[in-house]
Amino acid sequence: MAHAAKSSAFISRFESTLEHLAASFERRCVAQMPETILESMRSNSYKMNVCSRDMCDEDRKLVLAMMNHDWSLPLEQGHLIHWCPPGCCPSLETSRSKMRSALDATARSLFEVPLLYRWKHWDSAAEYTLRNLMIHGLLCYIWERCVQNTDQETAYQDQEDNMPDEDSPDVAPAVKQRIRMNKAQLAQVLVLARPLSTFMDRASLMETIRFRLRHRRSGLALEQSHCQQSADEFAEMNLQMVSGEAGWDAICEFMRLLVTVETEELHRVLNISMEDSMKLIIPAMCDSWRRLVLPYQGLPFQVLKIIRMDPNTGLSFMKTLREQACGCSFCEDRFFSQVLMDFVFPENSGEEQQVARFCSVQLLIRDVLCELPASSVEVEKAHANVQIDTTSKMYRAKRPATLQQDSYILSAFLEHERKKHTVEEAVLGSAKKKVLRILASRVVDTGAPPLRKLCRSTKSKKLGLLPTIMRLSIKVGSAEFSNHNRSVAETWKLMPTDERELWAKKAMGLSKARRRLRQCPLNQEPSDDCKNSLSEAQRHRLNQERLDATLAQVATHPAWDAGLRLSDHISALRASLVCCLPEETVNQQWQSHFAYDSNIQPNSDSSFTFHKSCLCQHGAICRQEPHFAHVAQLVDQFDSVLQAEKLESSPVLIHFVYQVRRWIPALGDRTCPSPSEWMLLGCVGKRPKAQIVMKVYPTSETSVAFVVNNGLPTILTSHQMFARMLKMHQANKQPLCHFGLEAGCFESSADKFWFITASLNLYLCRLSLSLCACVLG
């Protein structure tokens, strides 16, 4: 649709369709709005709030006021209906004008082509489409009248029918997203994806603020920018991202979609099934916790929180973190956190020394947070730019060394262009377009100009020193022009002395005004004296001379002397920094820097080895846990059971019951039930293997509620769940051979129970794990 909307034929039909709708709508004047229409307006307002973030408040009110019929009803014979109460529209012409403005507000501003594999321009496209589909199916009506190529529509339909499987490895990422979007309901996806969309907008804002901070360090104030946060404010914002707090905000937004009354009303208005939404919200919550919260719960991210603390609290916090990671080479983070802790707590150090070093580490971490990226957008942009640069130069094949060299040059060039653009914005401001237009008209003399450039017969000259009655437009170089010059000379000779002095004084004033205007850059408004003395044409003729003073401001801006001073306003590398190498050594120098060595050399024994932390690799429990091996076996068996019963894709409610094998003298060996727990399985990870569950509790025989702690749902991994169960079992001084676990629940779709039995060799006996699972309906 976005591609088709770029054609001139579509745009012409689109405008005529909107004009037809605005001219042919039905206006129903009433003394008082009917109750059914008032109810429809409330329902329309709910729908508008879902998909109108790209509209201003005035446009929203206008659309709701003019299209106040029930939006769920189709157009009546291609006509809109407007219920007009007293004071709404004074006349029919006013009503038509307001209806056209409302149509322009909701439908005229088409969207950019969305890149679904990167979710770029997705929000605006989805909101536009959903909004104009909900308003009487307006988009379908417009599309049928604007797209009249039935062969193209048939081809699109055949392509939709023959669309491959989204899991096929041969399908491109963009096609995969198209398949997923075709399977989903647009209104449901737009509502449920809002928390993650808000999170990504927050991450994008962080990158913009980071660039603004870098520019301000270079002396670029950028007063017109809305991102005026200081370094401390930005460090706090980035800390919220890298500590998992922003991820918890997204999870809380998902929680509100589940428990608030407004969500039920919204689902009713949009005709969305709440049960279907739960199957999407719960996995989204658990997966968001796995990606946005869990990785930041250990080192090195937790140590970044000390910038909020006073020295005493911060020192105690660092000691606690050090004790938690002590003994595990995978969790101690010896390349960052361990270095900081060794610096703060040296051997035989006093409290004053530790406090002083702690303050130094606080400043260091603040600087780290100011440069630590909140997303991978810069890496993705760099990869995309290199790919575009590589594919655009098809005249020669890229070798590894050439590719590396061109990547460096491209990165330096783009960074210089970004900085130059920012300097121009700061110096020129709103006059930038005017300055660039004048700069484009400046001609550099590289040889003899064409003959048509020397033809002066088409030029005209206005004599500004003559009285108004004597100002004529005459062709320069003609006989008439020569006669006119002689006439002016004779008039000047015959002119009285006092009148000559008057004209000479006026000429002196014009000369002074021109000199002042030449010194005034183009980004500054001329003084009132210059405006009164010189005509608009005279001021325009001085633009080329004013351009030099304007460009001098860009060339001498302090930003070029900030930092390493590698670039200037001309190129990314100053001419003074270019080294002159002998021709015989140029190739040797280039080979030493960019040559590709295909031989694989092993790392030395003294080099460090990078490991993933236990937090990410083993479901947030450490390898040093006393029951780590038993927990890993339980997780493997739990995963195999879920996989065998095909319970990995939908939320699964599981009731865990502890069972302890005890010897009772009168009865012998018996299994005694213990307290139970309810868990809601949200998502399953494969690499690394982990199941993410939410803790719930039953409120009745048919419903459960979330366990909330400080307003946050209790989400944990299956590793944490089984480790806690084993710790509770051991706390009761029971051996592991007496530990048992049984789980069971109900599948509403099949209306039956079933049991799965599996064996696990823990210690010296067989441990039976009986599971019964249920898919939420």
Side-chain angles (χ1 to χ4, degrees), residues 381-382 385 409-419 572:
K381 284 183 179 179
N385 290 329
I409 295 175
L410 178 64
S411 300
F413 171 77
L414 293 177
E415 182 63 28
H416 175 258
E417 286 295 314
R418 185 186 293 115
K419 187 174 184 178

Side-chain angles (χ1 to χ4, degrees), residues 248 251-252 255 285 289 694 706-709 711-715:
W248 276 119
I251 294 173
C252 290
M255 193 75 174
M285 289 177 65
W289 181 83
M694 299 178 65
F706 295 99
V707 176
V708 179
N709 186 14
L712 303 176
T714 304
I715 306 178

Side-chain angles (χ1 to χ4, degrees), residues 116-165:
L116 290 181
Y117 63 95
R118 291 188 61 193
W119 297 106
K120 189 175 183 180
H121 305 309
W122 148 252
D123 284 343
S124 58
E127 290 188 359
Y128 176 90
T129 305
L130 178 60
R131 180 174 66 247
N132 292 287
L133 284 175
M134 288 192 302
I135 303 177
H136 306 294
L138 194 62
L139 185 60
C140 296
Y141 177 81
I142 295 174
W143 186 258
E144 291 174 357
R145 292 176 64 93
C146 294
V147 180
Q148 299 178 358
N149 190 350
T150 56
D151 295 337
Q152 185 178 8
E153 292 180 359
T154 305
Y156 283 150
Q157 186 63 38
D158 294 341
Q159 186 178 5
E160 298 291 340
D161 296 338
N162 300 325
M163 191 164 286
D165 184 16

Side-chain angles (χ1 to χ4, degrees), residues 14 118 303 443 489 588 593 645 775:
F14 185 75
R118 291 188 61 193
V303 77
V443 179
Q588 181 181 357
H593 286 87
E645 298 299 329
V775 181

Side-chain angles (χ1 to χ4, degrees), residues 230-242:
S230 63
D232 292 334
E233 293 173 342
F234 176 72
E236 175 61 28
M237 294 174 63
N238 203 6
L239 179 60
Q240 294 175 5
M241 296 290 293
V242 300

Side-chain angles (χ1 to χ4, degrees), residues 63-272:
V63 172
L64 291 171
M66 296 306 298
M67 304 177 190
N68 51 11
H69 198 55
D70 187 2
W71 286 358
S72 61
L73 300 177
L75 295 176
E76 294 188 3
Q77 299 179 354
H79 301 306
L80 292 168
I81 298 176
H82 168 57
W83 294 83
C84 190
C88 179
C89 304
S91 62
L92 180 60
E93 292 299 324
T94 304
S95 184
R96 286 177 178 173
S97 176
K98 293 174 67 175
M99 179 61 74
R100 179 54 199 264
S101 300
L103 287 170
D104 290 344
T106 184
R108 188 175 185 182
S109 299
L110 294 170
F111 50 86
E112 294 291 334
V113 178
L115 303 177
L116 290 181
Y117 63 95
R118 291 188 61 193
W119 297 106
K120 189 175 183 180
H121 305 309
W122 148 252
D123 284 343
S124 58
E127 290 188 359
Y128 176 90
T129 305
L130 178 60
R131 180 174 66 247
N132 292 287
L133 284 175
M134 288 192 302
I135 303 177
H136 306 294
L138 194 62
L139 185 60
C140 296
Y141 177 81
I142 295 174
W143 186 258
E144 291 174 357
R145 292 176 64 93
C146 294
V147 180
Q148 299 178 358
N149 190 350
T150 56
D151 295 337
Q152 185 178 8
E153 292 180 359
T154 305
Y156 283 150
Q157 186 63 38
D158 294 341
Q159 186 178 5
E160 298 291 340
D161 296 338
N162 300 325
M163 191 164 286
D165 184 16
E166 62 177 301
D167 297 326
S168 175
D170 300 328
V171 179
V175 179
K176 288 183 178 181
Q177 291 298 79
R178 283 186 56 197
I179 298 170
R180 297 187 188 107
M181 290 306 304
N182 288 339
K183 294 180 179 179
Q185 189 175 354
L186 185 59
Q188 188 178 42
V189 171
L190 189 61
V191 171
L192 304 184
R194 188 63 55 82
L196 293 180
S197 176
T198 303
F199 179 87
M200 294 307 300
D201 290 342
R202 187 173 179 178
S204 179
L205 176 63
M206 299 281 299
E207 299 301 326
T208 304
I209 296 175
R210 177 179 289 106
F211 280 118
R212 296 294 184 266
L213 280 175
R214 292 177 182 174
H215 293 326
R216 282 206 292 270
R217 294 194 198 105
S218 301
L220 294 167
L222 298 175
E223 297 178 356
Q224 73 277 8
S225 174
H226 295 288
C227 301
Q228 298 295 336
Q229 286 82 356
S230 63
D232 292 334
E233 293 173 342
F234 176 72
E236 175 61 28
M237 294 174 63
N238 203 6
L239 179 60
Q240 294 175 5
M241 296 290 293
V242 300
S243 64
E245 296 176 10
W248 276 119
D249 292 340
I251 294 173
C252 290
E253 289 295 326
F254 280 119
M255 193 75 174
R256 294 190 188 96
L257 291 176
L258 283 175
V259 300
T260 56
V261 180
E262 289 79 4
T263 303
E264 297 180 2
E265 178 67 17
L266 187 62
H267 279 71
R268 184 189 65 79
V269 171
L270 297 178
N271 195 21
I272 302 174

Side-chain angles (χ1 to χ4, degrees), residues 317-333:
F317 181 71
M318 291 185 73
K319 291 178 181 178
T320 304
L321 292 178
R322 194 177 193 180
E323 292 173 358
Q324 291 177 354
C326 183
C328 180
S329 59
F330 296 90
C331 298
E332 63 184 3
D333 183 39

Side-chain angles (χ1 to χ4, degrees), residues 143 166-167 216 293 320 361 376 380 399 449 452 457 539 553 574 636 649 652 673 678 696 702 725 742-743 753 756:
W143 186 258
E166 62 177 301
D167 297 326
R216 282 206 292 270
V293 177
T320 304
V361 170
S376 60
E380 294 175 5
R399 293 176 298 172
R452 65 178 183 272
S457 60
R539 294 198 300 270
Q553 290 183 339
R574 294 176 184 261
D636 290 339
S649 58
V652 178
W678 290 82
V696 296
T702 59
M725 292 177 181
E742 183 177 291
F753 282 98
I756 310 155

